[in-house]
Amino acid sequence: MKLADAKKQFIASWGAFGTHWGINRTMAQIHALLLVSADPLSQDDLMLELSISRGNANMNIRELIDWGLVDRVIIPGERKEYFSAEKDIWKVATQIVKERKKRELNPMMKLLDQLEDVDGDKKDKHVKQFTDTVTSIKRFGTQADKMLDVLVKADENWFVGSLMKFFK
Amino acid sequence: MKLADAKKQFIASWGAFGTHWGINRTMAQIHALLLVSADPLSQDDLMLELSISRGNANMNIRELIDWGLVDRVIIPGERKEYFSAEKDIWKVATQIVKERKKRELNPMMKLLDQLEDVDGDKKDKHVKQFTDTVTSIKRFGTQADKMLDVLVKADENWFVGSLMKFFK
DNA sequence: CTGAATTTTCAAAACTTATTGAAAGAATGT
DNA sequence: ACATTCTTTCAATAAGTTTTGAAAATTCAG
């Protein structure tokens, strides 16, 4: 397969993939293109290669920077801003985990705390089912939270090395 | 807080949460309601409590069954079908992991296999960056795949017990 | 069988989210 | 301070997704 075609396929698939992972299609496509580009690209490069508008490019680049997946790069002597993606996939993954934990898991945990004590007879089976469910989700969430924290802080070699003893 | 209000909040939040996890809002709301209900509910119960149409209820219930998160329950002497959700959150989580692995990770891995060998000079930095990226995503994906397999097959106590030695 | 109860389907409508592009705002070199 | 280049904003629009509801299909008891 030719490089240009392979790139196109990769970008299209990474884009579709991204929509399942809390990142929108265009954002994921920009990310994909930067991942496979040897050099940093400018906003105009991205607009051209992906056929997207200036506003769209701008918004999604900024969101990628917000997620910590893309960096602004200054090229001396150039007026334009350039962008490059973190290429270490382990870092990409932990960064995504970190962000989603902050954006999704933490708020949910906070809500569950509030829902844990409802009024009414703890013996009533409806009350009981509700609090049991909330409590068990909370327990699960707390554990997931801890695990993900360690994951995010761990460096790849330590982590994978340790786990592979279990996961053979 | 009153039970009815707490339920409403829980359903609304679980619905919003679900959209980030590959499940649509209504599907997640139905799931939430079943999770906190002591007894199985009929399609009409769900329509009434969540104010959704028959078609919507039907489609989403079937999709939840498809995901393995909800079961049909036959109540003797009743003509209607009833539905109940798996209440063990660990099982819910592993079920979701299993499905998403099948729906997302596996197809992506298959694609990457194809993209790994592009034509052209391996010394060309553009070709090199592309294949390096694809290869490293593949390596990462393969490892994630293995880990998730073990996770899905593990029973909760074994898994959490073992890992908590690391993750304290 | 027949007919009532229940479930499923699907085209149209409503809603949600993403994208455009032109205009306003900053930054930079002279 | 001005002109130029580049970046950001945002209201309008387009695209995509979900929901509805009525009609068709299925199930089941008598």
Side-chain angles (χ1 to χ4, degrees):
Chain A
M1 191 185 291
K2 290 198 61 189
L3 178 61
D5 294 333
K7 256 194 190 181
K8 258 183 220 139
Q9 275 232 34
F10 177 73
I11 290 167
S13 310
W14 197 252
F17 201 60
T19 61
H20 298 294
W21 286 91
I23 273 179
N24 83 28
R25 184 182 315 285
T26 305
M27 216 189 303
Q29 287 180 351
I30 293 173
H31 188 225
L33 177 52
L34 291 173
L35 272 179
V36 298
S37 296
D39 304 308
L41 302 179
S42 69
Q43 182 166 291
D44 292 271
D45 295 334
L46 294 168
M47 288 164 57
L48 199 71
E49 282 231 44
L50 302 174
S51 314
I52 57 176
S53 71
R54 185 166 299 286
N56 197 10
N58 194 270
M59 269 188 51
N60 284 295
I61 291 168
R62 274 181 308 118
E63 192 132 12
L64 282 164
I65 292 173
D66 226 56
W67 275 75
L69 298 173
V70 163
D71 289 323
R72 284 176 211 277
V73 174
I74 304 300
I75 295 193
E78 286 268 17
R79 182 99 175 246
K80 277 192 201 127
E81 290 180 325
Y82 283 74
F83 304 96
S84 79
E86 169 61 58
K87 299 289 202 300
D88 179 337
I89 301 301
W90 174 263
K91 283 194 192 142
V92 172
T94 55
Q95 192 58 39
I96 291 173
V97 167
K98 201 155 103 189
E99 287 294 323
R100 297 196 62 182
K101 212 166 80 62
K102 185 171 82 193
R103 293 165 195 228
E104 296 160 31
L105 190 57
N106 297 359
M108 174 56 73
M109 287 296 115
K110 231 168 117 191
L111 177 78
L112 292 177
D113 280 337
Q114 292 165 24
L115 296 182
E116 216 173 9
D117 51 324
V118 293
D119 308 338
D121 183 5
K122 261 60 186 171
K123 294 286 163 46
D124 174 354
K125 84 173 173 180
H126 301 102
V127 173
K128 188 163 185 330
Q129 182 61 62
F130 184 83
T131 52
D132 282 0
T133 299
V134 169
T135 303
S136 85
I137 293 174
K138 250 190 64 182
R139 237 200 341 265
F140 179 83
T142 304
Q143 260 173 9
D145 192 63
K146 275 191 211 144
M147 282 193 199
L148 294 175
D149 263 349
V150 176
L151 184 74
V152 163
K153 280 170 197 139
D155 98 283
E156 177 174 20
N157 290 324
W158 175 84
F159 184 72
V160 175
S162 299
L163 285 189
M164 281 303 138
K165 287 167 196 158
F166 291 105
F167 297 160
K168 69 131 270 157
Chain B
M1 191 186 289
K2 290 198 62 189
L3 178 61
D5 294 333
K7 256 194 191 180
K8 259 183 222 141
Q9 276 233 32
F10 177 73
I11 290 166
S13 311
W14 198 252
F17 201 59
T19 61
H20 297 294
W21 287 90
I23 274 179
N24 83 27
R25 186 183 310 289
T26 305
M27 215 191 301
Q29 286 180 352
I30 293 173
H31 187 224
L33 178 52
L34 291 173
L35 272 179
V36 298
S37 297
D39 304 308
L41 302 179
S42 69
Q43 181 166 293
D44 292 273
D45 294 335
L46 293 168
M47 288 164 58
L48 199 71
E49 282 231 46
L50 301 174
S51 314
I52 57 175
S53 72
R54 184 166 301 285
N56 197 9
N58 194 270
M59 271 189 48
N60 284 295
I61 289 168
R62 273 180 310 119
E63 192 131 14
L64 281 164
I65 291 172
D66 226 56
W67 275 76
L69 298 173
V70 163
D71 290 323
R72 284 175 209 278
V73 174
I74 304 299
I75 295 192
E78 287 268 17
R79 181 97 175 249
K80 277 193 200 123
E81 292 180 324
Y82 284 74
F83 304 96
S84 78
E86 169 61 58
K87 299 290 203 296
D88 180 336
I89 301 300
W90 175 262
K91 282 193 192 144
V92 171
T94 55
Q95 191 58 38
I96 290 173
V97 167
K98 202 155 103 191
E99 286 295 323
R100 296 195 63 182
K101 209 165 82 63
K102 186 171 79 195
R103 293 166 195 227
E104 296 160 32
L105 190 56
N106 297 358
M108 174 58 72
M109 288 296 115
K110 230 168 116 192
L111 177 78
L112 292 177
D113 279 337
Q114 292 166 22
L115 296 183
E116 217 173 9
D117 50 326
V118 293
D119 308 339
D121 182 5
K122 260 63 185 170
K123 292 286 163 47
D124 174 355
K125 82 174 175 180
H126 301 103
V127 174
K128 187 164 186 329
Q129 182 62 61
F130 184 83
T131 51
D132 282 359
T133 300
V134 169
T135 303
S136 85
I137 294 174
K138 251 190 64 182
R139 238 203 337 268
F140 179 83
T142 305
Q143 261 176 7
D145 193 64
K146 276 192 212 145
M147 282 195 197
L148 294 174
D149 264 349
V150 176
L151 183 76
V152 162
K153 279 169 196 140
D155 96 284
E156 175 174 22
N157 291 323
W158 173 84
F159 184 73
V160 174
S162 300
L163 287 189
M164 281 304 139
K165 287 167 196 157
F166 292 104
F167 296 162
K168 71 127 275 159

